[in-house]
Amino acid sequence: MSAREEVLSRIRTALGENRPDVGVPRDYRTADERPAEQLREVLVDRLEDYKASVLRCGPDQVGATVAAALDTGLGAGWDPASVVVAPGVPATWRPDGATEDDGRPAVELAAFAATLTGVAVAIAETGTLVLDGTPLSGRRAVSLLPDCLVCVVEAGQVVGGVPEALSRLGPTAPLTMVSGPSATSDIELQRVEGVHGPRTLVVVLVA
Amino acid sequence: MTTAPERTGPTPLAPGAPRSGTTFLGLPTAPRGVGHLRGDRPFPDAARDALRDGQLRANLGHATSTIRAKRARVVGEVPDWEALRQAGKALKTATMARLDEHLLELERQVTARGGTVHWARDADEANAIVTRLVQATGTDEVVKVKSMATQEIGLNEALEAAGITPHETDLAELIVQLGDDAPSHILVPAIHKNRAEIREIFLRTMPQFQGPDADRDLPDEPRRLAMAARTHLRERFLRAKVAISGANFAVAETGTLAVVESEGNGRMCLTLPQTLITVMGIEKLVPTWRDLEVFLQLLPRSSTGERMNPYTSMWTGVTPDDGPQEFHLVLLDNGRTAVLADEVGREALHCIRCSACLNVCPVYERTGGHSYGSVYPGPIGAVLSPQLTGVEDNASLPYASSLCGACYDACPVAIDIPSILVHLRAEHVEAQEKLTPEAAAFKALAKAMSNPRLWRLTQRAAGLGRLLARGKPTMPPVLPPPASGWTRSRDLPTPPRETFTQAWAREHGR
Ligand code: SF4
C-alpha cells in the first residue's frame, strides 16, 4: 500500500462509520457598519500603535506625500533611483527618476533603499495592509528586501475587520498581510521593530 | 537536549485503541528512535531539576506574565471573542469528521496549481522524502522557517546525517540552534534564555564575531542582538536555493497555505529560494477559504498578544515569476491518526499552536518547557505527546497538571484539556497490568470510606502522622515508599489534631 493509501485508510478506520454532521455557528461579526472616516481613524491609530508612520493627503497630493513619506523613511536627500516601484503604481504617485521593478532576479532588489507599492485592501481593526501580487502590489520580493516600505492606501480600500478583507481577496493569489514593520519579541518578550523585513513602514492614506 | 532515547520493541498502540477484542483499531503511533516527542526521563524528575534553577524560573515568570497581560488586553478588545472561539471549535470538529475528504481536495488543488504533494506515514518517511527532495536540487544547505512539525520529526538531525546544513532563521530558533539547546516554548522557543545568555551564545558562535580583527562590541540590548541576527542571516537568505517551512493553515477548497510570523524570516524563506518544501501535519487543514476569517483573528491575539502579527504569507502551488518555482507539500501522519481514533483525545488535534495554554499554566510557569521532554510542552503537550507516542512512552505527562482549568479558558479553540488529561490518566491506569501502590491505596480508601467504623479507624491512624511531622505544618518530604511517590513532588499537610467528626462530637456533645 502506498503511504497515501495507508494514511487515508487509517483516517477512515479512526473515524469509523458514523461521522457526526457538525454545524458551524458563525455568530461573530462579519461586517462593520461604522462610517468610512471612523474606520480610517481606527486604521491610523492601529498602524501607529505598531510603529508604522502614517501621512494623510487628498487624491491630488499623492505624489508629494509619497516624497514626504520617503523623507520620513530615508531622511531628506534620498536618491530617486534607489527607490523601486511596483509596476502597476500610477505615474502620478512615483517620484521622478524612481526605478520600476523589471522582473530582475529577486535578490538584486536588496540593493534598493526603499519600495513604493499600492495595496489590495487595508483592515482597520488590526492595522493590516494586504498585498496580493498584482502589478499594483508588486511581487512578494519587492515589498520584502528594501529596508523601507511605502504603501499607498486609497479610501475605498479600507474595511473594518478580517472577514470583510478576506471576502475581497483572491485565495490563490500570493498574499502578504503586513501589520507594521517586521518585529521580534524573542528576547525577553521585548518587542524590537525591524528584523529581516523592512525596518520602516510608512503609509500614505488617501482620503 | 531532548534527544530521544534509543528504545527497542514494537511501537505502542494508540491510547484509545481497545487492547483486545474485535474492534481493535491498531493504528500506529509515532515511531521510537526518531524525532523529539519523548523525553529521556519522566516529567517529575526533569521538573525537579528545573525547579532548582532560579535563573530559569525568573526568566519564565517574567516572560509568561508579560505575554499573559498582552493577550488579555487584545482579547478584551474583541466583543465577539466567545463567538469566534465557538466557531473555531466547531470548524475544527467539522474538519476532523471529514479529514480524508478534505486532504484529497487539498491534494487536488495544490497539484492543479503546480505543486507536488507527498504523504508520509511517520517521521522516518517524512525525513527521507525531504532529504531526497533537497538532494535532488544539488544543494547542501537549506534555510528553515520555524516549524513545530519539523522539530517533532527531528528533520534537522536527518538532514545533517545526509550532509545537508539546515539554518534556522527564526531568531529564537537560531538562538536555540547556535546554543546547541532545545526549544522550551511553542512561540518563543528561547524563552528560558535571558539577554546576557543570548549575547554570550552569539559572541561564541556567529562567524562575524570570530577572528582576530572581529569587532566583538555587542551590548546585550535586545535591539542590538536582533541586528546581529539580521546580519548573520542576510547572506544566507540571499544565497539559499531551498527553504523548508511548516504551515499554520491549509485551505482544502483552494489549496492555499498560510504561514504566520513576525520577523520576516518566513517571508524570506517563502519568497527567495527556487524550491520550497512545506511539512504539515494532516490536521492543519481548514475546509474553506472563509474559515480563515475565524483563525486569523483567534491566532495572533492568543499567541503573541497582538491584534495581528506583522506578517502572514499565503500561497497556492506555484505563482509564475513570483516566489519559489518548485513547491512540495509533505503531509505528515506520525501518530495523528492514532489520536484521531480516540473520541475524547482527538480534540487535541484542534490545536492551532498559539501557546496561550502554556502561558497561563502554573505548572509550565515553574518547570519550563524542557521538563516535558517533547517539542510540545505545557498543557497541550501533556495531552498531545502521550497520544502521538502511545501513553506508555510518555506516561508521566498526563499527570503534569493540577487540573486547574486555566488552559481550557485561554484556549482560542476551546479544547477541554483537563478532560483529556483525566481520560489519559484513566487509559494509563487501565493499561497497567499489576496494581500500582496508588491504585491499591485508592481501593483500600474506597473500602474504608464505605464503612463508617473503618473510616473512623483510618482517620485516627492518620493522626499518627503528626508524630512524623514533629510540629511542622507539612509532612517531611522523605516518607517511605509508596507514600514517597506522592510527597516527592507535593507538600502533604500534617494531619490535624482531631478530625472534623471528633471536633463536632466534642462541641455538640454527641
Ligand atoms: S491547546 Fe489551545 S491554547 Fe494551547 S496551544 Fe493549542 S490552541 Fe493554543
Side-chain angles (χ1 to χ4, degrees):
Chain A
M1 214 186 328
S2 70
R4 178 177 185 271
E5 289 314 311
E6 186 162 343
V7 172
L8 289 168
S9 105
R10 287 176 186 176
I11 294 172
R12 289 171 190 142
T13 307
L15 290 173
E17 291 302 309
N18 300 316
R19 303 189 181 192
D21 250 327
V22 185
V24 176
R26 295 192 192 258
D27 304 328
Y28 52 86
R29 295 167 303 156
T30 50
D32 194 324
E33 303 304 337
R34 283 178 285 185
E37 178 51 27
Q38 204 177 330
L39 288 182
R40 287 193 287 269
E41 278 164 18
V42 174
L43 176 66
V44 173
D45 175 74
R46 301 295 149 91
L47 282 166
E48 288 177 342
D49 195 26
Y50 284 147
K51 306 293 183 286
S53 310
V54 184
L55 302 176
R56 299 190 64 166
C57 69
D60 50 352
Q61 299 141 17
V62 179
T65 314
V66 164
L70 288 163
D71 287 345
T72 307
L74 300 177
W78 42 273
D79 172 10
S82 71
V83 178
V84 60
V85 180
V89 167
T92 53
W93 297 2
R94 302 182 182 196
D96 286 338
T99 311
E100 181 173 297
D101 176 27
D102 53 6
R104 67 188 74 194
V107 294
E108 290 178 21
L109 295 165
F112 288 95
T115 299
L116 172 65
T117 75
V119 306
V121 58
I123 309 171
E125 230 172 50
T126 57
T128 303
L129 313 177
V130 189
L131 309 180
D132 66 353
T134 54
L136 180 62
S137 295
R139 58 181 167 145
R140 286 172 284 177
V142 169
S143 53
L144 173 63
L145 288 170
D147 206 14
C148 167
L149 175 62
V150 177
C151 290
V152 178
V153 177
E154 295 173 278
Q157 295 179 314
V158 182
V159 299
V162 174
E164 293 153 282
L166 290 195
S167 70
R168 285 193 184 199
L169 294 164
T172 57
L175 297 172
T176 306
M177 305 177 88
V178 177
S179 309
S182 86
T184 183
S185 301
D186 279 348
I187 302 171
E188 296 183 12
L189 266 305
Q190 187 168 320
R191 189 175 162 105
V192 173
E193 270 84 25
V195 195
H196 305 294
R199 284 181 278 195
T200 311
L201 174 65
V202 190
V203 179
V204 173
L205 178 56
V206 188
Chain B
M1 286 292 290
T2 50
T3 35
E6 286 300 326
R7 283 187 232 191
T8 47
T11 300
L13 296 168
R19 278 163 180 78
S20 60
T22 49
T23 53
F24 186 84
L25 296 177
L27 294 172
T29 50
R32 289 173 176 162
V34 58
H36 302 287
L37 285 171
R38 298 165 172 87
D40 39 17
R41 12 183 229 160
F43 179 82
D45 297 339
R48 205 164 328 103
D49 287 352
L51 288 171
R52 278 196 212 109
D53 184 340
Q55 181 67 59
L56 174 73
R57 289 186 65 175
N59 294 357
L60 276 174
H62 167 70
T64 50
S65 61
T66 306
I67 201 160
R68 277 199 304 269
K70 281 179 74 183
R71 175 190 166 276
R73 185 155 16 101
V74 296
V75 165
E77 236 175 61
V78 181
D80 52 350
W81 185 255
E82 194 50 37
L84 285 166
R85 210 170 158 240
Q86 292 310 323
K89 182 187 180 83
L91 275 168
K92 283 292 185 181
T93 311
T95 308
M96 296 310 149
R98 306 248 165 244
L99 189 58
D100 48 347
E101 295 163 25
H102 296 312
L103 284 168
L104 286 170
E105 183 60 21
L106 177 73
E107 181 185 49
R108 251 192 307 279
Q109 296 301 328
V110 170
T111 310
R113 298 185 187 276
T116 309
V117 177
H118 309 260
W119 300 69
R121 279 169 274 230
D122 57 30
D124 286 316
E125 193 164 29
N127 287 337
I129 292 169
V130 176
T131 306
R132 184 169 47 73
L133 290 171
V134 176
Q135 281 167 339
T137 68
T139 188
D140 61 359
E141 62 170 3
V142 298
V143 284
K144 279 190 72 206
V145 197
K146 178 173 176 306
S147 136
M148 301 299 301
T150 62
Q151 284 171 26
E152 171 190 323
I153 62 177
L155 178 63
N156 285 4
E157 291 86 339
L159 290 173
E160 279 162 5
I164 299 160
T165 308
H167 299 291
E168 292 291 352
T169 64
D170 171 77
L171 178 53
E173 292 285 353
L174 178 70
I175 295 165
V176 166
Q177 190 181 39
L178 293 177
D180 199 12
D181 196 353
S184 67
H185 189 279
I186 295 177
L187 173 73
V188 270
I191 199 170
H192 56 290
K193 294 277 185 227
N194 65 18
R195 60 184 76 189
E197 294 167 308
I198 294 165
R199 169 180 181 272
E200 186 275 320
I201 292 172
F202 281 9
L203 281 177
R204 185 160 47 79
T205 58
M206 285 182 173
Q208 72 212 59
F209 299 118
Q210 313 309 319
D213 305 327
D215 177 5
R216 290 174 58 85
D217 172 34
L218 179 67
D220 65 3
E221 281 166 50
R223 171 171 309 278
R224 292 291 297 272
L225 295 169
M227 287 314 110
R230 177 184 166 105
T231 311
H232 177 75
L233 287 171
R234 191 80 178 178
E235 166 61 20
R236 288 174 172 76
F237 285 132
L238 295 180
R239 69 167 190 243
K241 298 275 176 287
V242 179
I244 296 173
S245 85
N248 290 97
F249 305 104
V251 181
E253 76 169 350
T254 58
T256 313
L257 284 139
V259 163
V260 169
E261 54 129 356
S262 297
E263 295 167 12
N265 63 308
R267 294 184 64 192
M268 291 281 185
C269 293
L270 300 171
T271 307
L272 296 181
Q274 178 67 20
T275 301
L276 171 62
I277 304 168
T278 299
V279 181
M280 182 188 107
I282 51 173
E283 82 285 17
K284 289 271 150 232
L285 206 70
V286 298
T288 72
W289 169 247
R290 190 184 170 191
D291 301 334
L292 286 182
E293 73 189 19
V294 175
F295 295 107
L296 288 181
Q297 294 191 74
L298 290 172
L299 180 56
R301 290 185 199 255
S302 303
S303 149
T304 49
E306 292 165 311
R307 299 184 184 103
M308 191 64 94
N309 48 289
Y311 297 129
T312 297
S313 295
M314 301 193 230
W315 73 97
T316 310
V318 168
T319 307
D321 303 323
D322 188 345
Q325 297 299 296
E326 204 182 313
F327 172 55
H328 297 273
L329 176 62
V330 182
L331 298 172
L332 174 73
D333 180 351
N334 206 38
R336 285 163 175 76
T337 47
V339 185
L340 192 65
D342 185 323
E343 282 182 32
V344 177
R346 69 169 61 137
E347 216 187 325
L349 295 176
H350 297 186
C351 173
I352 57 173
R353 308 278 188 267
C354 72
S355 74
C357 59
L358 277 60
N359 302 325
V360 299
C361 178
V363 176
Y364 177 87
E365 187 176 3
R366 285 161 182 80
T367 62
H370 290 160
S371 305
Y372 294 79
S374 159
V375 294
Y376 304 112
I380 183 59
V383 294
L384 189 58
S385 308
Q387 295 198 83
L388 289 172
T389 61
V391 80
E392 45 275 56
D393 275 18
N394 266 309
S396 61
L397 285 186
Y399 300 89
S401 161
S402 62
L403 299 178
C404 73
C407 48
Y408 180 25
D409 294 338
C411 179
V413 288
I415 300 175
D416 186 355
I417 295 175
S419 294
I420 307 177
L421 284 167
V422 171
H423 170 72
L424 293 177
R425 289 180 188 186
E427 294 279 351
H428 173 232
V429 172
E430 255 166 50
Q432 309 278 313
E433 273 158 23
K434 66 178 181 23
L435 204 59
T436 62
E438 191 182 6
F442 274 108
K443 259 203 179 139
L445 187 64
K447 193 159 178 219
M449 287 179 85
S450 57
N451 176 325
R453 197 181 58 86
L454 265 182
W455 179 234
R456 272 196 303 276
L457 279 173
T458 312
Q459 287 185 312
R460 220 168 286 157
L464 294 175
R466 294 180 61 77
L467 296 176
L468 276 173
R470 299 165 203 261
K472 302 227 174 63
T474 57
M475 300 287 281
V478 278
L479 286 184
S484 59
W486 177 269
T487 54
R488 257 190 323 168
S489 49
R490 300 167 182 85
D491 289 336
L492 184 63
T494 301
R497 202 176 304 278
E498 56 186 352
T499 66
F500 177 74
T501 353
Q502 286 166 342
W504 181 274
R506 178 169 49 72
E507 294 203 356
H508 298 264
R510 268 200 58 199

